């Protein structure tokens, strides 16, 4: 296992659109395991592949604390099938923005289609915080960051913090 360095805001790769993993070979599986372990050690709720510099459509998610599944897992080639429920505002952070927490609006429910490590398709229905994390991570795969969801007023308030994050500081 090797830990992967997490890219912070300002690095181009965070703005790139990722592509599906076509071949789940040993190398891909090893990368996904490293991604998962990196998230766990960084104490994140989620970590997308491009946050460690690889533009493939996969992310790690820690579901353990929501009692949904027993342990952190990786979601591969996710696709949103359905999104809805109430629009809920809650505080979000991101491992690529150390120390920054902002209120973000998200849908309360999401159903995704994904594949497991054997390449088998499955549907996953989530609500609440899990649905929030999934939307945040899928945004990453499209090069979208949580700060893109802020109101102009919120953005103005964090301008200096963003400059500091770009400079490698924790805010
Ligand atoms: Zn993030």
């Amino acid at each position: 296992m090797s830990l992967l360095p997490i890219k912070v805001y300002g690095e181009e790769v965070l703005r790139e659109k990722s592509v599906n993993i076509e071949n789940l070979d040993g190398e891909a599986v090893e990368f996904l395991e490293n991604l998962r372990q990196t998230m766990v050690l960084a104490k994140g709720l989620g970590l997308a592949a491009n946050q460690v510099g690889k533009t493939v459509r996969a992310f790690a998610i820690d579901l353990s604390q929501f009692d949904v599944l027993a342990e952190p897992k990786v979601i591969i080639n996710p696709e949103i099938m359905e999104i809805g429920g109430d629009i809920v505002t809650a505080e979000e952070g991101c491992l690529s923005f150390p120390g920054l927490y902002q209120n973000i609006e998200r849908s309360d429910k999401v159903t995704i289609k994904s594949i497991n490590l054997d390449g088998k398709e499955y549907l996953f229905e989530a609500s609440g915080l899990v649905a929030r994390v999934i939307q945040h991570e899928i945004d990453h795969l499209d090069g979208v960051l949580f700060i893109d969801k802020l109101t102009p007023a919120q953005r103005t308030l964090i301008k200096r913090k963003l400059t500091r994050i770009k400079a490698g500081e924790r805010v």
Side-chain angles (χ1 to χ4, degrees), residues 51 93-95 136-137 140:
Q51 287 182 278
C94 178
L95 290 174
H136 177 117
E137 298 311 324
H140 272 301

Side-chain angles (χ1 to χ4, degrees), residues 40-146:
V40 170
L41 274 139
K43 299 193 192 331
L45 293 181
L47 183 65
N50 67 338
Q51 287 182 278
V52 295
K54 207 168 163 75
T55 51
V56 294
R57 296 187 80 81
F59 61 85
I61 182 169
D62 185 359
L63 299 169
S64 56
Q65 55 188 296
F66 314 123
D67 253 10
V68 180
L69 290 171
E71 53 183 38
K73 62 179 287 171
V74 287
I75 306 280
I76 307 159
N77 299 351
E79 225 181 288
I80 293 180
M81 305 307 284
E82 216 180 313
I83 186 159
D86 296 336
I87 301 292
V88 180
T89 302
E91 200 173 70
E92 272 180 37
C94 178
L95 290 174
S96 295
F97 292 80
L100 185 71
Y101 296 90
Q102 291 290 303
N103 281 322
I104 308 283
E105 282 187 351
R106 301 268 184 200
S107 296
D108 192 47
K109 287 194 167 83
V110 67
T111 302
I112 58 167
K113 186 170 81 179
S114 176
I115 56 170
N116 64 22
L117 286 171
D118 302 320
K120 220 174 152 226
E121 244 177 49
Y122 67 94
L123 285 176
F124 183 59
E125 221 182 295
S127 60
L129 188 52
V130 182
R132 174 172 295 275
V133 176
I134 287 174
Q135 290 166 70
H136 177 117
E137 298 311 324
I138 290 180
D139 275 350
H140 272 301
L141 305 184
D142 293 323
V144 174
L145 300 169
F146 79 140

